[in-house]
Every structure is written in structure tokens, then in C-alpha cells.
Amino acid sequence: PLRYISKLRELVKHEADKNKSPWKTMGPAKVAVPSPNDFLQKRSKEPKLAPKKKEQDGEKLLPLSVPPRTYHPVTRIKKNFINKNAVAVITGEPKKPRHFCVDTRQGDKYLLEPSGLFPKYIKKKNYGVLPKYVTRRNEEMKREEEEYKASVLEELKKKAMKVLSEEERTNILKALKKNWEEINHAYQGLPILTDTRYKQMHKEKLELKLKQLEHDIAAIEKHKSVYIANV
């Protein structure tokens, strides 16, 4: 039998050749050879100046910033550093000696000021003075405490007991006595025989009212000053 040949064989070959890179590992297949006339000439790599501009259409070129022949530069004055340093030393303040502390026989020493042994802080002008933020905080706390006390006193005044006047006391006493007489009159009009539960309860209720009124009358008569709470 004949061998099977695909119809797309030529297309596959074309795609395979198209995707191949002949210079992938060995470089390009064809390289342009340089011309013999393009050889490296002398001074060819030096930078070249731009050509001079010529006056066109009556336009004048700007003058070059070149000093004239009559220009004489200012020469620097030579300084005598030796005399300058000598004057600075003579007129300057002398250096104060630094305080050291020697703590061994070999002469090991260290500065006394950063060690904490030198009393430099007590010589400050503001030594022992409270900082501003502390005084400000103390004033705020004092003001808050005064406001709290004022609010507490105001609340106590609102809840304080009221003293009854003599006229109010006598009026209340008269009203209590009148009420006691009315209840006593009702109590005296009760039947002698209390054979029902209702009669017993009504009698006990009147007795309780009489006892309470007698207690209130005795308390008001006993005390000259009577206080009433503001509820």
C-alpha cells in the first residue's frame, strides 16, 4: 500500500523554516563588509566647532564678552596670617581650664563636668524653681477643685431642709388636731359590737390613724423648730 502523505506537509515545512533563526548560535549569515574608503582618518574623532554665523538681513551679532585691553584685574591682597593669629590670641579671651578627676595611681583621669560630680545644675538661675507646666497644672487642679466644691455646695443647698415658720407650725398643728377630732368623732360613732370582718378592719384603720395623728401632734408640740426636706 502507498504511504500516507499529509496535505499540510508543505505548510508545516514553511512554518518550520520561517521560525528558525540561522544566526541564533553562529551569528548572522551575511555581514555587510565595510568599504575601503571609510577608513579611520587622523583627528576625525576630535570635536568640531560650530561654523561662525554671518550677518544676515542686517542683523548684527552680539559682541563677544571679552575684556578690553585696558582692563586690569584686581590683584588679591596678601594676608599676613601670622600677625592675624597673633592679634586674635592677644585680644581673645583665655581658655578656662577644664576640671579633671584622677582616680588611680597611674594618673587615669576623666572629665569632672559630665561625670555628675561637678555641681553645675545648682548654679543655674532657675534652680529650684517650679517649671511653668507644673504651676499651670497646679492652677488647673485648684480651679477644678473649687468648681467641684461650688457644685457640691449648690447641690446641698438644693437638698437642704426647710425650717417651718411659727405661723406654718401653728397652722399645721391646728389642722392635725382638727383631723384628729374628726377621726375621733367617727371612731366614737362605731357600733359596740364588731361581729363582721369589715367592722373590725374599719375600727383598726381608725385606731391607726388616731395613733399616727397623736404621734405627729406630740412631735410638733415638743419641738419648736421643725425641718422639712425638699424632695
Side-chain angles (χ1 to χ4, degrees), residues 44-57:
S44 61
K45 291 188 176 182
E46 292 182 358
K48 295 181 180 180
L49 300 175
K52 292 183 179 180
K53 294 182 179 180
K54 297 181 180 180
E55 296 182 3
Q56 296 178 358
D57 301 330

Side-chain angles (χ1 to χ4, degrees), residues 101-158:
C101 179
V102 181
D103 56 352
T104 60
R105 293 185 301 173
Q106 285 77 18
D108 297 334
K109 61 182 180 179
Y110 57 88
L111 289 173
L112 190 62
E113 186 175 353
S115 66
L117 301 175
F118 188 73
K120 63 178 182 179
Y121 294 103
I122 61 175
K123 294 181 180 179
K124 289 185 175 181
K125 294 180 180 179
N126 58 351
Y127 178 76
V129 180
L130 282 176
K132 292 183 179 179
Y133 72 93
V134 177
T135 54
R136 186 168 60 252
R137 180 59 181 165
N138 291 338
E139 291 176 358
E140 290 177 359
M141 291 175 65
K142 188 177 180 180
R143 186 173 62 255
E144 290 176 358
E145 187 176 356
E146 290 176 355
E147 291 176 356
Y148 174 73
K149 288 182 178 179
S151 62
V152 170
L153 288 175
E154 188 176 355
E155 290 293 329
L156 290 175
K157 287 180 181 178
K158 289 180 181 179

